């Protein structure tokens, strides 16, 4: 029997990430090859014409799973009845801007979108924040949408997770699908900690530890970490634009695993509301290793954390606490 369509909101849909993301959703990459979707696309009034162009292309592509398209600049219309919300729209930092200025702009954007989701989204709507500063934007959204359960609000660190998988795959000359259980801890920023201490590679003779196979701690504790942390900047330097297709693909991975579940024995990284696990301050949106089942994530517990890693977890947590204080100061 055919499934009922799922309504998926993409904000900032006329932008680079949005343009890469909406065809992936319409093709079933996010929710499965048998799941019909209705796309809700939101952007700001100056982008209305471009947004209509994206809608025209979606119609022209004749995606079998796409059962409708709402393209609007009205936040209430965009949020009405949505089951999944991917928040790509935000105010980018421009040259000469202070962090507080950017934070202040994003606080006002996420405050209004949170209110619209709270009042008009479907019950149990799942929210993924992509726009930077992603962790803190998600926290603001949570603050102003109190009826949306905290477990339903997340931010994207899957891009960093996938970047880490890619670096290990390239270094070892193995298929990326054979590498698993890297972890991104903390903030989606250059303080994030890409951790391979628990990661493995599937080999003909069984799963082997990444650290053992790479056999180069200087690279794993140095260049590997900085490459993953700075990959976004490297792509801007190369393309003159931010990561778009990789961000869109990772957003699909994040939602797909959250809704459909992670494979047995595999975890992924998601920015979620901290409950104090691993001595991370509660009340931050912080990236943890999680498994997903029945539409819910669970933080992987009991992983040993060495002294080097502890310092990295604390450092990125401190940055998130500072961002939180900055964001809340913009509210007063």
């Amino acid at each position: 029997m055919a499934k009922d369509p799922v309504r998926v909101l993409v904000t900032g849909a006329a932008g680079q990430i949005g343009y890469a993301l909406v065809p992936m959703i319409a093709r079933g990459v996010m929710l499965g090859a048998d799941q019909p979707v209705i796309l809700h696309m939101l952007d700001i009034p100056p982008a209305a014409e471009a947004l209509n162009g994206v809608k025209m292309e979606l119609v022209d592509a004749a995606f079998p799973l796409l059962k409708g398209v709402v393209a609007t600049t009205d936040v209430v219309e965009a949020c009405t009845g949505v089951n999944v919300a991917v928040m790509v729209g935000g105010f980018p930092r421009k040259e000469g801007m202070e962090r507080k200025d950017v934070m202040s702009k994003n606080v006002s954007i996420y405050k209004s979108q949170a209110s619209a989701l709270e009042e008009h989204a479907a019950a149990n709507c799942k929210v993924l924040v992509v726009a930077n500063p992603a962790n803190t934007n998600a926290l603001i959204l949570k603050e102003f949408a109190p009826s949306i359960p905290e477990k339903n609000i997340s931010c994207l660190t899957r891009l960093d997770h996938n970047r880490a998988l890619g670096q290990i795959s390239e270094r070892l000359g193995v298929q990326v699908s054979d590498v698993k259980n890297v972890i991104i801890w903390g903030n989606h920023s250059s303080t994030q900690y890409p951790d391979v201490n628990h990661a493995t590679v599937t080999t003909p003779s069984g799963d082997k530890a990444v650290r053992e196979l790479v056999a180069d701690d200087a690279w794993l504790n140095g260049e590997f970490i900085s490459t993953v942390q700075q990959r976004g900047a490297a792509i801007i330097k190369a393309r003159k634009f931010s990561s778009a297709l990789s961000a869109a693909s990772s957003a699909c991975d994040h939602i797909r695993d959250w809704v459909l579940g992670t494979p047995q024995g595999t975890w992924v990284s998601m920015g979620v509301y901290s409950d104090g696990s691993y001595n991370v301050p509660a009340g931050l949106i912080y990236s943890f290793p999680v498994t997903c089942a029945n539409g819910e994530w669970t933080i992987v517990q009991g992983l040993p954390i060495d002294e080097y890693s502890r310092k990295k977890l604390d450092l990125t947590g401190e940055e998130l606490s500072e961002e939180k204080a900055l964001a809340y100061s913009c509210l007063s």
Side-chain angles (χ1 to χ4, degrees), residues 6-9 29-32 82-87 117 122-130 138 141-142 148-158 249-263 266-273 285-286 288-299:
V6 170
R7 291 180 180 270
V8 182
L9 166 66
V29 174
M30 178 179 278
L31 292 169
V82 298
N83 309 101
V84 173
V86 186
M87 316 301 281
L117 282 170
N124 210 29
C125 175
K126 288 180 161 53
V127 183
L128 167 61
V129 177
V130 175
L141 195 143
K142 179 200 164 294
I148 298 177
E150 60 194 35
K151 65 182 174 56
N152 282 22
I153 295 173
S154 64
C155 81
L156 187 71
T157 56
R158 183 61 174 270
S249 181
S250 301
C252 287
D253 291 345
H254 175 113
I255 297 287
R256 187 183 62 248
D257 285 343
W258 190 2
V259 171
L260 301 177
T262 45
T266 299
W267 62 67
V268 294
S269 302
M270 284 174 67
V272 297
Y273 197 65
I285 300 270
Y286 189 101
F288 288 97
V290 301
T291 55
C292 303
N294 306 315
E296 304 217 342
W297 52 265
T298 304
I299 295 173

Side-chain angles (χ1 to χ4, degrees), residues 2-222:
K3 294 181 174 179
D4 290 335
V6 170
R7 291 180 180 270
V8 182
L9 166 66
V10 177
T11 72
Q16 289 244 11
I17 295 173
Y19 187 70
L21 178 58
V22 292
M24 294 182 187
I25 298 169
R27 203 175 273 287
V29 174
M30 178 179 278
L31 292 169
D34 62 345
Q35 178 59 66
V37 292
I38 296 171
L39 269 168
H40 288 226
M41 302 192 300
L42 175 70
D43 218 311
I44 54 174
E49 195 176 352
L51 187 64
N52 193 47
V54 178
K55 180 178 179 179
M56 289 159 66
E57 285 205 75
L58 285 167
V59 171
D60 295 349
F63 294 109
L65 290 172
L66 187 59
K67 302 304 179 188
V69 180
V70 176
T72 184
T73 59
D74 179 80
V75 68
V76 170
E77 185 185 6
C79 291
T80 299
V82 298
N83 309 101
V84 173
V86 186
M87 316 301 281
V88 179
F91 192 89
R93 188 170 183 174
K94 294 178 179 170
E95 211 170 330
M97 283 185 79
E98 294 294 326
R99 278 180 72 222
K100 179 150 185 177
D101 299 334
V102 187
M103 189 69 80
S104 176
K105 296 269 191 196
N106 280 298
V107 163
S108 66
I109 291 169
Y110 277 82
K111 192 173 166 183
S112 78
Q113 292 183 351
S115 303
L117 282 170
E118 161 120 304
E119 288 177 42
H120 303 287
N124 210 29
C125 175
K126 288 180 161 53
V127 183
L128 167 61
V129 177
V130 175
N132 288 322
N135 300 58
T136 301
N137 284 343
L139 194 60
I140 293 298
L141 195 143
K142 179 200 164 294
E143 199 69 29
F144 287 96
S147 72
I148 298 177
E150 60 194 35
K151 65 182 174 56
N152 282 22
I153 295 173
S154 64
C155 81
L156 187 71
T157 56
R158 183 61 174 270
L159 176 54
D160 309 298
H161 181 100
N162 287 349
R163 285 168 171 164
L165 293 175
Q167 289 302 305
I168 297 298
S169 152
E170 295 272 292
R171 178 77 176 192
L172 292 174
V174 299
Q175 295 297 315
V176 74
S177 54
D178 288 334
V179 187
K180 67 178 183 182
N181 295 353
V182 299
I183 302 167
I184 302 297
W185 298 98
N187 199 1
H188 174 62
S189 76
S190 58
T191 67
Q192 64 174 263
Y193 173 43
D195 176 4
V196 298
N197 288 329
H198 314 282
T200 60
V201 177
T202 303
T203 74
S205 54
D207 286 358
K208 295 272 174 34
V210 162
R211 203 168 269 285
E212 183 189 314
L213 290 175
V214 170
D216 187 341
D217 283 352
W219 182 78
L220 284 171
N221 293 343

